[in-house]
Amino acid sequence: MTAKSAPARARLRPDERRTQLIGIGLRLLTTRPIHDLSIDEVAAEAGISRGLLFHYFPTKRDYYVAVVQAAARRLLLHAEAPKEGSPTERVHGIVDGFVSFVQRRKANYVAVVRAGAGGDELVREVFEENRRTLTDRVLDAAGVDDPTPLHTLAVRGWLAMAEETAISATDEVVTTADLVDLLVSSLAQVMEQFTSGRH
């Protein structure tokens, strides 16, 4: 039994251990709300004591926030605009990365969205910061150098639609490529309708 458990208890560098623990949390997040994650279960799966887990994350809340932050970073890594190209091409790059990421990880993404809608202020702040970053990226890619509040509102509303569509869409209804094209086209229409003559 000792030999069998040894690999799980292998000594890891602090950054490796944090990454391991966050990874476990991300996986478990697909099956339960963030505040239902069991610290004991996470520690056991990592092959460490509960006390050692709290060496890396001082409180349960710190651990929960770190898990949500990691999920948010993963999305942002994929939803980036190419450095070159027309505004439409750059927006397309963001949307393609966003939709592809959500559709490949629907259960995990929905779990993160659910966590962001929960009652914890720090978790909500992570979720809100992610939305702000995506909004700024879309506005920049679209060539809106000096966005008005209406520009920002239009993009935030469109992001909510894009998110729900990416979660709900299936290949039987629309292909990923066609969905991306539809969302890119709809963004231009939404911004024009929201902002035309209202600057």
Side-chain angles (χ1 to χ4, degrees):
M1 182 177 295
T2 302
K4 186 177 181 180
S5 63
R9 296 183 178 278
R11 184 177 296 277
L12 298 178
R13 297 196 310 267
D15 59 330
E16 293 174 332
R17 183 66 76 189
R18 282 180 58 90
T19 298
Q20 178 200 34
L21 293 168
I22 290 171
I24 293 171
L26 285 170
R27 182 176 57 75
L28 294 178
L29 190 59
T30 64
T31 64
R32 68 205 73 177
I34 185 74
H35 293 295
D36 286 349
L37 288 182
S38 166
I39 294 298
D40 290 331
E41 182 180 357
V42 173
E45 185 165 332
I48 63 174
S49 68
R50 175 187 175 95
L52 185 56
L53 185 146
F54 285 123
H55 172 74
Y56 297 101
F57 305 96
T59 68
K60 287 183 183 180
R61 192 186 193 199
D62 290 320
Y63 178 67
Y64 297 154
V65 171
V67 170
V68 174
Q69 285 175 328
R73 284 194 299 270
R74 288 186 179 187
L75 170 63
L76 293 178
L77 283 174
H78 288 79
E80 286 193 297
K83 296 187 182 302
E84 305 293 334
S86 67
T88 298
E89 290 169 336
R90 298 188 73 226
V91 169
H92 190 282
I94 294 175
V95 177
D96 184 53
F98 177 84
V99 171
S100 298
F101 179 89
V102 172
Q103 294 196 327
R104 284 196 304 268
R105 302 167 177 82
K106 282 188 181 182
N108 188 274
Y109 188 82
V110 170
V112 172
V113 170
R114 184 173 57 204
D120 189 288
E121 181 180 352
L122 288 179
V123 171
R124 287 202 309 271
E125 285 177 6
V126 173
F127 190 73
E128 176 60 24
E129 179 60 30
N130 223 44
R131 281 294 175 88
R132 282 195 295 266
T133 299
L134 284 171
T135 298
D136 290 345
R137 285 184 182 183
V138 170
L139 288 167
D140 178 70
V144 182
D145 297 325
D146 188 20
T148 66
L150 268 176
H151 283 118
T152 301
L153 178 63
V155 172
R156 284 184 66 95
W158 171 84
L159 274 173
M161 180 192 72
E163 177 182 87
E164 179 59 31
T165 307
I167 290 171
S168 302
T170 62
D171 289 338
E172 290 77 16
V173 177
V174 61
T175 66
T176 297
D178 285 344
L179 176 57
V180 170
D181 289 341
L182 176 64
L183 289 171
V184 172
S185 176
S186 69
L187 174 66
Q189 296 174 24
V190 166
M191 291 183 68
E192 181 178 356
Q193 291 173 2
F194 263 64
T195 62
S196 179
R198 296 173 182 268
H199 298 285

